[in-house]
Amino acid sequence: MVVVIYAGIRYIPTYDLTRTVSAPADGSGASSAPPVRPGQQSRTQGEPVKSDARPVSEGGVRTKEDVWATVLAVSVGGMLLVMAAGLIACWFLTRRLLAPLQTISQAAAKAEAGELHHRIHADGRDDELKQLADTFDGMLARIEESLAAHQRFAANASHELLTPLATTRAILQVTATDSSGKELAELAPVLRETNERNITIVNALLDLASADHAQFDPEPVDLAALAARTAAERTSRAESEGLQLTVKAEEVDCAVSGSSTLLRQLVLNLLDNALNHNVPGGSVHLAVHRDDAVVLDVVNTGTPVDEELVDRLFEPFYRPRTRLAGDRSGHGLGLAIVRSIAAAHHGTATAVANPGGGLTVRVELPPHKGESEGR
């Protein structure tokens, strides 16, 4: 600003503050009178000089240098004033705008110390800082929920493994004091069953781990045909338990990209879960159809399930009390494996409680690219 003003005043205008003015005495164009300066009156020969010019006060503008100096002084003063006002305004504005960052920093410090329940709850305009605070709150909620789920998993897994291990220890203690071997012969089937239960739990945990970190080369899999073949493997079991198993699968346009082995495990787990947690004379219905995605629905009758606990059924080893009183052939890992396999195939697995009891589990998988392009 100073350079522009100074250069403009210095070079653009034309100043002639010291130019003298000559006035002819007789009006003929020739003048014998001496030149006079502006503000002076012409005088005759021998007449004393009279001037109406007022004396220029000290510090006034007399020459071009005075103009330059004045403009420079005014410009510098104005610049300093504007700079001071701008710095003060920026300081207040910055403190106001960045105040939420201090709150977010405090929340991050509390989260680092383990206080995951603390939330920012930012209010005001929906600007970038409020969005950042809301995102941070959501992240803390997810972390707190994940940590709680891991803690429940550890507790449930410990309880699930502790019971058969304690049974095994009791059997070994009893047989150790029996020199005749009769107790061992009687308790051997129980020991074998308990050992098989441990092996089943460990295998289920391995299946869950492999589903979470599944590495496979995607191939087109007809989910409708796969579900029909897998359901046929459970037909005899359903009949033996007095349950009705029905299948409705569309024959076209139900191909997905994935692993046939993992998808078969997904269908088996859904059917076993529906058969395990059912009621005498109940039913299981499996359906596959094409919507925006390829949808697999498994609907089963059963005891009523609390709607608030439905999502927790996908947690490893979790079973509601209503199911603990029933068949204990499951370990609460079936639906957890289903969700992991669905996630590995870029899909989702959800469940809703049926009004009359039982569950409806829905798995949505993206269609095979070749099929979607053909449409």
Side-chain angles (χ1 to χ4, degrees), residues 116 119 135-150:
L116 298 178
R119 299 293 183 270
T135 303
F136 192 82
D137 283 346
M139 181 188 68
L140 287 179
R142 291 290 300 274
I143 293 176
E144 185 180 16
E145 180 182 355
S146 178
L147 181 60
H150 281 295

Side-chain angles (χ1 to χ4, degrees), residues 7 21 41 90 149 189 237 268:
V21 179
Q41 294 179 349
C90 288
R237 176 189 169 184
L268 281 176

Side-chain angles (χ1 to χ4, degrees), residues 10-331:
R10 173 66 175 82
Y11 295 105
I12 295 178
T14 301
Y15 300 95
D16 195 8
L17 301 179
T18 60
R19 183 167 59 92
T20 58
V21 179
S22 299
D26 54 358
S28 61
S31 176
S32 59
V36 296
R37 295 179 179 273
Q40 292 181 335
Q41 294 179 349
S42 60
R43 60 185 178 88
T44 59
Q45 190 74 19
E47 182 181 356
V49 178
K50 296 181 179 179
S51 176
D52 294 335
R54 298 178 181 178
V56 181
S57 61
E58 188 68 23
V61 177
R62 301 175 180 176
T63 62
K64 290 177 63 175
E65 284 73 12
D66 292 338
V67 176
W68 306 337
T70 302
V71 172
L72 181 60
V74 172
S75 301
V76 172
M79 183 191 68
L80 294 178
L81 181 61
V82 171
M83 183 183 298
L87 289 176
I88 295 174
C90 288
W91 185 75
F92 281 106
L93 185 62
T94 303
R95 283 179 59 87
R96 181 177 179 85
L97 291 179
L98 299 184
L101 289 181
Q102 184 177 3
T103 305
I104 297 175
S105 178
Q106 293 174 354
K110 291 182 178 180
E112 183 183 9
E115 299 182 24
L116 298 178
H117 61 277
H118 179 73
R119 299 293 183 270
I120 299 174
H121 298 302
D123 53 4
R125 296 192 321 169
D126 188 18
D127 53 8
E128 289 78 3
L129 290 177
K130 186 177 184 301
Q131 294 174 4
L132 175 62
D134 294 342
T135 303
F136 192 82
D137 283 346
M139 181 188 68
L140 287 179
R142 291 290 300 274
I143 293 176
E144 185 180 16
E145 180 182 355
S146 178
L147 181 60
H150 281 295
Q151 291 174 346
R152 290 193 298 267
F153 169 78
N156 293 333
S158 300
H159 176 75
E160 196 74 23
L161 291 171
L162 181 61
T163 301
L165 290 176
T167 303
T168 302
R169 183 180 63 180
I171 294 174
L172 293 176
Q173 288 175 347
V174 171
T175 56
T177 59
D178 181 25
S179 58
S180 63
K182 294 181 180 180
E183 295 289 342
L184 178 61
E186 295 178 358
L187 295 176
V190 179
L191 182 62
R192 186 182 304 110
E193 181 182 355
T194 303
N195 189 58
E196 288 296 329
R197 182 177 178 82
N198 288 333
I199 294 175
T200 303
I201 294 175
V202 173
N203 287 333
L205 287 174
L206 292 175
D207 291 339
L208 179 61
S210 63
D212 284 333
H213 304 88
Q215 299 291 335
F216 54 87
D217 294 327
E219 58 182 2
V221 179
D222 189 347
L223 187 61
L226 178 65
R229 292 194 303 268
T230 306
E233 300 177 14
R234 292 293 186 265
T235 302
S236 59
R237 176 189 169 184
E239 293 176 352
S240 64
E241 296 179 1
L243 302 175
Q244 182 181 6
L245 176 59
T246 58
V247 178
K248 180 181 179 181
E250 296 182 359
E251 297 181 356
V252 295
D253 218 13
C254 290
V256 299
S257 297
S259 168
S260 58
T261 302
L262 290 176
L263 292 175
R264 178 180 177 275
Q265 182 68 37
L266 180 146
V267 178
L268 281 176
N269 284 13
L270 288 176
L271 292 175
D272 289 341
N273 182 77
L275 294 172
N276 289 339
H277 308 292
N278 217 307
V279 292
S283 63
V284 176
H285 178 68
L286 184 150
V288 180
H289 65 277
R290 172 68 183 271
D291 200 353
D292 293 336
V294 179
V295 181
L296 170 66
D297 287 328
V298 175
V299 184
N300 69 282
T301 56
T303 56
V305 180
D306 191 351
E307 188 68 35
E308 297 180 355
L309 301 178
V310 168
D311 195 60
R312 291 191 60 185
L313 296 176
F314 290 95
E315 295 181 8
F317 294 112
Y318 178 78
R319 288 189 297 260
R321 292 182 179 180
T322 54
R323 296 194 173 195
L324 288 176
D327 186 7
R328 290 190 55 83
S329 58
H331 304 286

